[in-house]
Amino acid sequence: MKTSRKLFATCLLATFWSTFACAQEKALTSYVNPFLGTATLWDEEDLQYVLNRKTRTWGGETFPGASLPNAMVQCSPVTMWRSGAGYQYEDTVIQAFAHTNKGHWNLLHVPIMPVCGNRWSADDFSSPYSHDSEEAHPGYYKVHVDRYAIDVELTTTLRCAVHRYSYNRRGTKAIVLDLGKTNNQVRDWNIRQTGFCEFTGNQNAEGNMYFYGMSSAPIKDIKIVPGRRNTIAVVEFIDSNETNAIELRIGFSFVNVENAVDNFNKELSSDNQKTFEQVRKEADQTWQQLLAKIEIEGGTEREKGLFYSCLYRSMLWPVLRSDCNGDYRDAHGTIIHQTENSEPEDRSCMEGMDMIYGAHHPHAWKTGGVNHYYTDPSFWDDHRNKLVLLELLRPDVASDVIWSCIDRGEKRGGYMPTFFHGDHASTFISGAWLRGIKDFPLDRAYKLLLKNATVPGHGGRPYLDEYLQQGWIAEKDTTDVPFYNEYKAAVTKTIEYAYDDYATALVARELGDKANEKLLLEHSKNYKNVFDPSTGFYRGRIADGSFIKQFDPYYPYFAYQYREANAWNNLFYAPHDPKGVLALYPSKRAVEQKLDSLFTEPWRGYEVENLTGFIGNYCHGNQPGHSIPYMYYFVDRQEKAQEVIDSIMSHYYDMGQEHLALAGMDDAGEMSSWYVFNAIGLYTYSPADPEYIVTVPLFDRVRFHFSNGKTLTIRHEGKGRRIKSIQYDGRKLKGWFVKDALLKQGKALTIRTNE
């Protein structure tokens, strides 16, 4: 196979990773770099096109601030509004510090900026900063805001944030709450003083977030200050000119202010308040426990740093929306009091904390509802791998996420929640159940999934009527489509709905619904209906059944035929039926040649913000093609797949001048999870199925600690990258896949390669 100039590229060791050159027994959290993914790609060598537009390409869109795994609160700097996660490494000004973050173009609730002196206004209070003053670790962030000479430190619990401001000059001290801004439209906001050092309020924007704040300094006044373009709230402190440090502690809730106070009291201990250092230490310990579920030996310091940084990033989303007492607002905005279904509320909070930290399984006391209410996952992105990693490392959280989706689905027209343009909850639920997570009502989930697959309607799959009637979704036959024009993404929907049908069929099989299992398995073959044998690509069809005439497999689209991709990056997608895909081509050799062309045919220089990170025409910077390299396995060329996988892991996770850019958007952990799985030698080729395709690990030995108390050991023997044999507990396995149930017996998986 000819190789592109990127295929064997190796990165120079970044300055950051050199800080990790110490003994392996150091804390795993010290390997994590929360800045990874915050930088943007600018150079033509990385982009493989000339950057002409003023808009910057999509970066990893990650955030460097403090949070716990799957927590309600993410406390992080905002450098630009409506810019990904709000923070871009190349920016030079901090606008505020916000308290929710997905790593997407939304959220950023309750922005706060500490100020000192009087030289600021409602329209101008941001501050320059330098990366030299920045520091970030799991659960902790620090920066110096130059304008006010303040060292800002942030740490968090599940539902609370603690700010510490250290002042380097005298002046009147205050905090600005820019409550008219988030990355979403703000419907309304409110703030008022409720005590000598206390204030409460709310901000309604993609969820109404209530807050209760307590400062270490007494409050003089809270003023609403209008400007020409902006209106802010200012909390001014009494006699603060001589004060050297102020701590601000804030509890949050998406239910009401009373629950924000309750969350504050239970997580920060109002009677015997935890110090900033205690909260930070507990956050570090929480992350240490989670990261230690996968222990690695061997590999370079850079690879270890990338691995634990990616594992960290994979475990941030979805996030809590229920309180310590179990309360949450449902799909109708109604407050649901969980204490009706569970033990007393004091234990509910402790259960929540313990469950998040892995102390014990919470569902022993579940009696009929959600224990901990979570946001929906980013199903289109995350179903490929991230949600499987969640199932493996945090099955209790995965179960609660499914409960939450069921609750929303039953209250929103009877459809399981979908995401973006597709479906994919079916993949998550099938994979979870078949991997042994069975403390949720499969029958109730199935009812919703079946409606998604068979009943067109608002809230379900878009264009399902066409899909059911003819087995594919028609696209408009037009010419010269601009990239950003919104169409049906008909090809991508058709092939992905076929996979969702397969996943739902697996659930039907579990419940004994043979008639619908048969129907859904028939529908799972619909990917074949958009295959064009004359080109060897999936190709859009118009209403009369003919293929779209103007067809260029190299041209990228946002939603015409393909979703955020071109024809090359939709190749071979049918993870449930690789044999069926092979049968579409004249021979295995033809498939191999097609794959070789994908990875060697150069990108044609199209400048598209959300497509970056190319090997030939394969784009690692967006998700649609992430399963393509493994197709080499099915034409008996595993070593070619590994060549591509190694190149991606080697170059595409610390790109750019600062070695902090990903190939593309992390999408709430999907990009990071891809790295985690391949680095340990397993990948979720068909995530709905409880099995993994075996790859060659980066590390000599991996110990994976499952929630059942068993530990899987993965060994790589040999120095090559071509697999000679796969053994489990000393017995040779047939084929390339290994079953989830086998791995969870806790024996040794040995991957032998050529020397």
Side-chain angles (χ1 to χ4, degrees):
M1 178 176 70
K2 292 168 60 180
T3 58
S4 74
R5 62 190 176 85
K6 291 282 189 180
L7 195 53
F8 293 113
T10 56
C11 288
L12 293 176
L13 188 63
T15 302
F16 176 83
W17 302 120
S18 66
T19 64
F20 290 146
C22 58
Q24 185 171 352
E25 59 267 17
K26 68 182 183 180
L28 298 180
T29 51
S30 65
Y31 282 102
V32 175
N33 182 2
F35 291 107
L36 190 65
T38 62
T40 304
L41 293 174
W42 297 97
D43 296 340
E44 182 181 350
E45 183 180 356
D46 288 323
L47 293 172
Q48 294 192 38
Y49 54 74
V50 177
L51 191 62
N52 293 311
R53 300 181 186 180
K54 293 182 180 180
T55 55
R56 50 189 169 193
T57 60
W58 293 6
E61 312 305 336
T62 63
F63 61 92
S67 187
L68 293 184
N70 305 107
M72 180 182 292
V73 171
Q74 300 82 38
C75 193
S76 190
V78 178
T79 60
M80 182 180 290
W81 296 105
R82 302 189 181 278
S83 175
Y87 179 97
Q88 300 281 354
Y89 194 80
E90 60 269 17
D91 292 340
T92 59
V93 173
I94 290 178
Q95 308 288 337
F97 300 93
H99 294 85
T100 60
N101 208 308
K102 179 184 178 182
H104 214 279
W105 282 265
N106 59 343
L107 301 179
L108 307 185
H109 283 90
V110 192
I112 293 176
M113 172 64 89
V115 297
C116 183
N118 299 308
R119 294 183 180 179
W120 52 267
S121 69
D123 297 321
D124 177 21
F125 55 86
S126 61
S127 172
Y129 76 105
S130 168
H131 293 306
D132 293 338
S133 73
E134 272 191 304
E135 184 179 344
H137 307 282
Y140 176 78
Y141 174 84
K142 179 181 180 180
V143 70
H144 183 79
V145 289
D146 297 344
R147 181 174 182 174
Y148 308 110
I150 302 172
D151 292 320
V152 177
E153 296 176 273
L154 310 171
T155 189
T156 57
T157 66
L158 287 174
R159 302 171 181 88
C160 303
V162 184
H163 299 224
R164 183 162 65 185
Y165 309 136
S166 300
Y167 300 88
N168 295 281
R169 68 171 178 236
R170 298 175 62 185
T172 302
K173 297 168 180 63
I175 57 170
V176 170
L177 288 90
D178 194 7
L179 295 174
K181 287 197 181 77
T182 69
N183 265 3
N184 304 98
Q185 180 181 357
V186 177
R187 297 179 179 87
D188 60 71
W189 59 269
N190 174 66
I191 185 172
R192 66 189 182 95
Q193 186 173 350
T194 55
F196 190 54
C197 299
E198 301 162 85
F199 59 91
T200 62
N202 74 287
Q203 185 189 42
N204 189 1
E206 192 168 322
N208 197 349
M209 194 176 201
Y210 299 85
F211 55 88
Y212 164 72
M214 177 184 291
S215 64
S216 61
I219 296 173
K220 178 181 179 181
D221 194 11
I222 297 180
K223 298 177 180 179
I224 306 302
V225 180
R228 296 179 62 185
R229 303 180 306 275
N230 196 33
T231 298
I232 60 175
V234 180
V235 179
E236 187 174 325
F237 300 109
I238 295 174
D239 299 327
S240 61
N241 195 39
E242 301 297 331
T243 303
N244 294 322
I246 291 176
E247 279 196 11
L248 178 64
R249 307 154 71 79
I250 317 173
F252 296 93
S253 168
F254 282 88
V255 174
N256 53 38
V257 166
E258 292 76 17
N259 278 17
V261 174
D262 186 56
N263 291 340
F264 179 100
N265 290 337
K266 288 174 178 171
E267 294 189 1
L268 293 178
S269 305
S270 61
D271 294 333
N272 183 21
Q273 291 187 2
K274 294 179 182 177
T275 66
F276 183 96
E277 295 303 331
Q278 282 179 298
V279 176
R280 178 187 175 184
K281 182 179 179 181
E282 289 176 4
D284 182 81
Q285 290 172 340
T286 296
W287 280 111
Q288 177 70 22
Q289 288 179 351
L290 180 53
L291 298 175
K293 290 179 180 288
I294 307 180
E295 298 178 276
I296 55 177
E297 295 179 14
T300 66
E301 292 298 304
R302 170 177 169 267
E303 288 167 344
K304 293 172 186 174
L306 286 174
F307 177 80
Y308 283 113
S309 296
C310 287
L311 182 54
Y312 161 81
R313 188 64 60 188
S314 300
M315 292 291 110
L316 288 166
W317 190 270
V319 294
L320 271 173
R321 286 294 180 262
S322 56
D323 295 322
C324 276
N325 63 9
D327 290 357
Y328 65 92
R329 287 188 182 267
D330 70 4
H332 300 307
T334 303
I335 298 175
I336 305 299
H337 297 289
Q338 275 295 97
T339 50
E340 298 171 2
N341 295 335
S342 61
E343 289 193 346
E345 61 181 46
D346 283 349
R347 183 176 173 187
S348 176
C349 182
M350 294 304 104
E351 290 266 334
M353 299 290 283
D354 290 346
M355 182 274 292
I356 291 292
Y357 305 156
H360 57 78
H361 201 285
H363 297 295
W365 53 272
K366 178 178 284 186
T367 59
V370 179
N371 273 335
H372 306 285
Y373 199 69
Y374 286 88
T375 58
D376 286 335
S378 297
F379 281 122
W380 188 54
D381 318 299
D382 291 359
H383 82 278
R384 294 170 170 83
N385 49 45
K386 183 305 197 17
L387 292 175
V388 178
L389 192 60
L390 184 70
E391 292 164 5
L392 294 175
L393 293 179
R394 314 196 69 200
D396 42 8
V397 175
S399 177
D400 272 332
V401 172
I402 293 171
W403 270 99
S404 302
C405 291
I406 292 170
D407 185 73
R408 278 187 286 273
E410 291 176 341
K411 295 173 180 177
R412 288 180 178 168
Y415 291 101
M416 183 63 73
T418 60
F419 176 78
F420 196 37
H421 85 118
D423 195 342
H424 304 314
S426 55
T427 302
F428 177 36
I429 290 167
S430 168
W433 185 268
L434 295 174
R435 287 181 178 86
I437 302 174
K438 299 190 175 181
D439 46 355
F440 64 89
L442 186 65
D443 55 342
R444 288 166 59 185
Y446 175 61
K447 183 178 180 180
L448 301 173
L449 294 174
L450 187 62
K451 187 172 181 179
N452 280 35
T454 60
V455 181
H458 179 70
R461 297 182 188 175
Y463 312 112
L464 181 64
D465 52 346
E466 292 183 46
Y467 177 83
L468 294 176
Q469 182 177 353
Q470 58 201 20
W472 47 274
I473 298 168
E475 195 67 272
K476 181 180 180 180
D477 192 15
T478 187
T479 59
D480 302 322
V481 176
F483 169 70
Y484 273 117
N485 277 24
E486 187 72 52
Y487 289 85
K488 293 181 180 178
V491 172
T492 301
K493 282 187 173 68
T494 297
I495 62 179
E496 291 185 355
Y497 287 1
Y499 186 61
D500 290 325
D501 290 336
Y502 169 77
T504 306
L506 296 181
V507 180
R509 182 180 300 166
E510 287 293 300
L511 293 172
D513 185 356
K514 295 183 179 179
N516 278 312
E517 178 192 353
K518 181 179 179 181
L519 174 70
L520 292 164
L521 288 176
E522 283 298 316
H523 289 180
S524 75
K525 300 174 184 177
N526 284 340
Y527 71 91
K528 299 177 182 180
N529 295 333
V530 289
F531 181 75
D532 174 17
S534 70
T535 62
F537 291 99
Y538 295 127
R539 181 176 178 180
R541 297 175 67 175
I542 62 177
D544 67 6
S546 61
F547 287 110
I548 285 173
K549 296 179 180 62
Q550 189 182 74
F551 178 72
D552 180 355
Y554 296 93
Y555 189 82
Y557 298 99
F558 186 73
Y560 185 63
Q561 299 184 78
Y562 315 102
R563 172 58 74 178
E564 299 185 33
N566 60 12
W568 282 106
N569 284 280
N570 281 260
L571 272 175
F572 311 121
Y573 184 85
H576 57 299
D577 191 18
K579 291 182 179 179
V581 172
L582 287 175
L584 297 174
Y585 292 84
S587 64
K588 286 185 177 181
R589 177 61 180 160
V591 172
E592 182 182 357
Q593 290 174 335
K594 196 79 170 180
L595 282 163
D596 290 350
S597 296
L598 166 64
F599 294 112
T600 56
E601 282 287 321
W603 181 251
R604 297 303 198 255
Y606 296 111
E607 182 183 1
V608 181
E609 287 86 14
N610 67 337
L611 295 177
T612 52
F614 300 101
I615 299 178
N617 255 262
Y618 170 80
C619 174
H620 197 67
N622 215 317
Q623 288 73 31
H626 277 188
S627 63
I628 294 177
Y630 309 95
M631 197 65 194
Y632 273 123
Y633 279 73
F634 305 106
V635 297
D636 306 317
R637 297 306 300 267
Q638 169 272 325
E639 71 279 6
K640 285 189 174 184
Q642 194 63 51
E643 191 175 24
V644 175
I645 293 165
D646 286 345
S647 178
I648 294 169
M649 289 192 290
S650 174
H651 182 76
Y652 292 85
Y653 281 82
D654 57 356
M655 301 179 73
Q657 295 179 359
E658 300 87 4
H659 298 275
L660 293 175
L662 301 179
M665 188 175 173
D666 191 48
D667 277 306
E670 190 276 347
M671 187 82 71
S672 294
S673 297
W674 189 98
Y675 187 97
V676 170
F677 273 117
N678 283 286
I680 66 173
L682 303 169
Y683 190 67
T684 55
Y685 184 75
S686 175
D689 288 297
E691 62 182 12
Y692 313 91
I693 198 166
V694 176
T695 65
V696 182
L698 281 181
F699 307 106
D700 298 333
R701 180 172 300 197
V702 177
R703 284 189 289 273
F704 198 118
H705 303 288
F706 293 110
S707 60
N708 65 1
K710 303 288 187 179
T711 296
L712 166 71
T713 300
I714 303 173
R715 298 192 184 106
H716 175 207
E717 295 183 356
K719 297 181 180 180
R721 308 302 284 176
R722 181 171 60 83
I723 297 176
K724 293 174 61 178
S725 69
I726 304 169
Q727 293 185 347
Y728 186 78
D729 194 25
R731 296 183 179 181
K732 187 175 181 179
L733 300 181
K734 295 181 180 179
W736 301 110
F737 288 88
V738 59
K739 297 292 186 183
D740 178 82
L742 197 63
L743 297 181
K744 287 176 179 172
Q745 292 177 9
K747 305 294 178 60
L749 177 70
T750 303
I751 303 162
R752 290 193 171 93
T753 61
N754 59 314
E755 294 302 324

